[in-house]
Amino acid sequence: MSQSDQSVNAYQLRIVLRRTSPHLWRRVLVGSDSTLRQLHQVVQALFGWTDSHPHRFVLRGRSLGASSTASAAILPAAEVRLSEFKLLLKERFFYDYRFHDADVPIWRHEIRFEKALAADPERVPCCIGGVGNPPLEQSGSPQELSTLAELFTPPFVLHQLTELIDRGSSNAELATQLRYLRPWLTADRFQSETGQPATAGQPGVAQ
């Protein structure tokens, strides 16, 4: 079942960060005329990445729209629009980010096409659902993220901060540690603002 209805101007996608437990995922509306480059920017914003590593899309067995450093065998398709693929209902493809080498991604996102629909062009892209805060920048793999999450429980974080205060740490030391520890206190509290419009190319996401 391809989506060719002329009234369709948006796609609903569910993006799951694989090898995370429980799964981190987002549901997002994007324009059907979005390019792979624009979808790349959306995924970066949804998962808190800094766009500082190679990336690629893998669709129907082909690597598409990747940064030039990801692999030597990449097709230059960053400006191809999603509508040109004529995606099938429930069809999935992948977005890979950061690599052990040219072919083994550290972070693989599974993107599933859920439906096509009409939407206010000024309100896409926008995040309409999700679970889990983005992986912290200091975690270098799904396994490391899981290990850190088991260690940095809220009681452990509060204990660490209490010890700093009891030792009479300076305000600067407290601020530094708080910046590092605070994300673990809200690691399972992701919320999305349904219908929140995008600004400056970023999907509407509240954390």
Side-chain angles (χ1 to χ4, degrees), residues 105-138:
I106 294 177
W107 301 103
R108 166 156 280 197
H109 309 70
E110 178 182 302
I111 305 176
R112 187 178 298 273
F113 173 52
E114 293 189 322
K115 62 181 176 180
L117 66 161
D120 182 348
E122 295 185 1
R123 301 185 70 84
V124 293
C126 73
C127 180
I128 60 173
V131 169
N133 272 11
L136 300 179
E137 201 62 39
Q138 60 261 39

Side-chain angles (χ1 to χ4, degrees), residues 26 30 44 55 57 64 66 134 148 151 171 174-175 189 192 200:
R26 302 288 184 265
V30 299
Q44 287 283 312
H55 72 275
F57 288 92
L64 302 167
L148 290 172
L151 172 63
N171 288 339
L174 284 171
R189 297 182 185 174
S192 67

